[in-house]
Amino acid sequence: MDPTTTSLPLGDLKTATLRMTVAQAIVTFLANQFIEIDGHVQRVCAGGFGIFGHGNAPSLGEALYAARDKLPLYRGQNEQSMGFAAAAYAKAQLRRRFMFCTASAGPGTANLLTAAALAHANRLPMLMLCGDNFATRLPDPVLQQLEHFGNPAFGVTDAFRAVCRYWDRITHPAQILNSLPAALNTMLDPADCGPAFLALPQDLQGWAYDYPAAFFEPRMHRIRRPAPDPVEVAAAVSLLSAAKRPLIIAGGGVQYSGAVTGLTAFAERHAIPVVETIAGRANMLWDHPLNIGPLGVTGSDSANTVAASADVILAVGTRLQDFTTGSWAAFALDSRIISLNAARHDACKHLSQPLVCDARAGLAALDSALGQYRAPTNWLALAQAERQNWNAYVAHNVASRNGLPSYAQAIGAVNALCTPQDRIVTAAGGLPAEVTANWRSLGIGTVDVEFGFSCMGYEIAGGWGARIAQAETQPDAQTVVFVGDGSYLLMNSDIYSSVLSGHKLIVLVLDNGGFAVINKLQKNTGNASFNTLFADCPTIAAPFGVDFTAHARAMGAIAEEVASVDEFGAAFARAKIADRTCVIVMKVDAHEGWTDQGHAWWEVGTPEVSTREAIGTARAKIEAGRANQRRGL
């Protein structure tokens, strides 16, 4: 049955009411919101993650129990990791579906703050339903309440205003009639997409109200496709048609719009080379002749060389963050940027020529208006030659050799054994750069490198959320998580979650003895090794390694440690056919074997004065790159 079919006569719908608690009304509303994806009607909200406490268990828990068949609730181990899992789920679903997170009042809610910031930075939908202080204030001050003497309405939940696209505190049952649809519309809007937060006072969750029955009627949603403005299209075409060295930057918005095929066709028809952002990795397969490589600080020599020479740059679906733009030093100072983005905020950065619209619709309009234009053949030949040079470098970089293995070698071993359906997940530390530079994309949209918020702890939790999404359509594919020992120690409990819920992961723990990439940054900026590697912590008298395999086994995973790249590949092959989450541990070199090419200039704060001569030398080198930095233009 079409879920939008009205179950009550129109006249009855206008007058009928249903008496429900606020919590019951929220859950009932969510269970009746639908979307059509690839011809299949599904709930927009796929369920949620929850940890119950006194701030959400009695009322919201009661409502969720009644709807457990429609909105499955996954038990989290940590509120922050629940949020990471929800964000990864939304990314894997291309922002067309979302999950909620519910947390108790006080610290449970506060733990979601980092996850909300991650979802906000990455423009990912996530709904937070969090306990709050009592609306009546009769029992104040209550357990876990933060008292602000001059503002009794101010509390922990207010902290989420800075990290959410939509925020509201419900103080009357009727308010959700406006707030819930507004939150949903925000999460599904391509321009405003991001996390939504509803603060739910503990007493109010259980208050009853006579809600209009029509509010709970099934409703079908569709993602808006803003059409391009003809004047903006004409201005963009004027720049492109005169370009001698055009370049396309493909961002994550290409995938969210469903514009991968359109972008590829546009680039092929007009012979324009394409480079990818971190979020836009796997917009093209690695061996497509127009794929010149990843761009920016964690990019490739090929992409950065071409970007530095381009005269007109078409940036599609990217927010142009500093790792993409090399802190705005990656492009020629006189190059022109056309920014095609559904969000006006992104389209107008650095005085770009804006094209504010859906990526797929915008590319189609540009394609039609650009006619028979093709980039000069010598420009494309130069770009492709640079890519061949980069391919040779990567092939050497990932090859096995003597000594402790490197990140790149581990990545190469896994890459050789993955299928086009397998999904790769990583986040903070050195692995995002190493995966971005060395991974050869086998399937479209199969790489999740969370570097928008560069959030340690996302890896395993995000892998769990991604696997929940992947299992809905590709149960036989693998979700592969690359994680360093530092991030593993920060957040690892969703290994247990994945085993409990039956969502298999392959977790690859690459142990370099601490925060090795920040140690590398310390040395590159002239600093002493300090408090990054365990061996360099003056408060640690006798450093020792963690038994990661024993730890992972204690959480129900199959785990083994290997000593070489060949053993690593063999263990990965075993993990692919295993029946539950597998953890493979390998020590890697903290100092040697880093990918030392492909890095654009990056502005990082350094001391202007120091007693260390090496710091002055490093600062002078960094400041020399500022000559190429665009200043808002």
Side-chain angles (χ1 to χ4, degrees), residues 337-368:
I337 298 174
I338 303 162
S339 189
L340 195 172
N341 204 293
R344 173 194 53 80
H345 175 83
D346 293 318
C348 295
K349 286 175 179 172
H350 276 240
L351 299 186
S352 298
Q353 169 56 51
L355 184 51
V356 183
C357 62
D358 168 72
R360 194 168 81 185
L363 286 168
L366 287 177
D367 189 26
S368 176

Side-chain angles (χ1 to χ4, degrees), residues 183-210:
L184 193 69
N185 290 333
T186 299
M187 290 187 288
L188 294 179
D189 188 278
D192 296 334
C193 186
F197 183 92
L198 295 182
L200 302 172
Q202 299 166 56
D203 50 353
L204 176 132
Q205 291 178 36
W207 291 355
Y209 185 75
D210 293 321

Side-chain angles (χ1 to χ4, degrees), residues 510-555:
L510 302 179
D511 180 4
N512 55 27
F515 302 143
V517 74
I518 300 302
N519 179 262
K520 180 169 174 272
L521 176 66
Q522 283 179 323
K523 292 186 290 186
N524 288 346
T525 55
N527 282 274
S529 296
F530 173 55
N531 209 53
T532 49
L533 299 178
F534 291 116
D536 298 324
C537 293
T539 56
I540 299 176
F544 65 92
V546 173
D547 189 341
F548 293 108
T549 57
H551 185 266
R553 287 179 191 137
M555 291 188 284

Side-chain angles (χ1 to χ4, degrees), residues 50-75:
I51 295 177
F52 286 136
H54 68 276
N56 62 344
S59 295
L60 193 58
E62 184 268 347
L64 288 170
Y65 177 79
R68 61 192 182 280
D69 293 332
K70 297 178 180 178
L71 298 174
L73 184 67
Y74 293 92
R75 184 197 180 281

Side-chain angles (χ1 to χ4, degrees), residues 148-390:
H148 291 267
F149 305 148
N151 186 351
F154 193 56
V156 168
T157 54
D158 290 280
F160 287 82
R161 294 175 187 262
V163 292
C164 289
R165 295 286 187 180
Y166 184 87
W167 184 98
D168 198 6
R169 176 180 288 118
I170 307 302
T171 58
H172 188 281
Q175 288 176 349
I176 66 167
L177 294 169
N178 288 317
S179 288
L180 265 179
L184 193 69
N185 290 333
T186 299
M187 290 187 288
L188 294 179
D189 188 278
D192 296 334
C193 186
F197 183 92
L198 295 182
L200 302 172
Q202 299 166 56
D203 50 353
L204 176 132
Q205 291 178 36
W207 291 355
Y209 185 75
D210 293 321
Y211 289 99
F215 184 65
F216 305 109
E217 281 298 295
R219 182 182 176 192
M220 182 73 77
H221 295 266
R222 290 176 176 83
I223 305 298
R224 180 181 296 108
R225 287 195 181 278
D229 180 87
V231 174
E232 291 185 346
V233 171
V237 168
S238 177
L239 290 173
L240 276 172
S241 61
K244 304 298 184 186
R245 299 177 302 281
L247 179 67
I248 296 171
I249 300 176
V254 172
Q255 293 176 34
Y256 298 143
S257 169
V260 168
T261 301
L263 179 132
T264 302
F266 177 86
E268 290 173 346
R269 191 168 296 117
H270 303 291
I272 302 176
V274 178
V275 297
E276 295 178 329
T277 70
I278 298 170
R281 290 291 273 118
N283 276 321
M284 281 183 161
L285 301 186
W286 77 276
D287 57 354
H288 190 287
L290 292 178
N291 184 350
I292 309 305
L295 174 69
V297 178
T298 59
S300 58
D301 281 349
S302 52
N304 290 332
T305 299
V306 172
S309 300
D311 60 350
V312 177
I313 298 162
L314 173 60
V316 184
T318 170
R319 64 192 185 100
L320 295 173
Q321 62 124 310
D322 69 334
F323 263 55
T324 296
T325 66
S327 298
W328 288 99
F331 314 124
L333 294 176
D334 60 351
S335 63
R336 295 296 305 274
I337 298 174
I338 303 162
S339 189
L340 195 172
N341 204 293
R344 173 194 53 80
H345 175 83
D346 293 318
C348 295
K349 286 175 179 172
H350 276 240
L351 299 186
S352 298
Q353 169 56 51
L355 184 51
V356 183
C357 62
D358 168 72
R360 194 168 81 185
L363 286 168
L366 287 177
D367 189 26
S368 176
L370 201 54
Q372 299 303 309
Y373 169 84
R374 288 179 66 84
T377 54
N378 62 338
W379 168 245
L380 180 56
L382 182 150
Q384 291 175 328
E386 291 290 341
R387 178 62 200 242
Q388 291 306 312
N389 291 338
W390 181 254

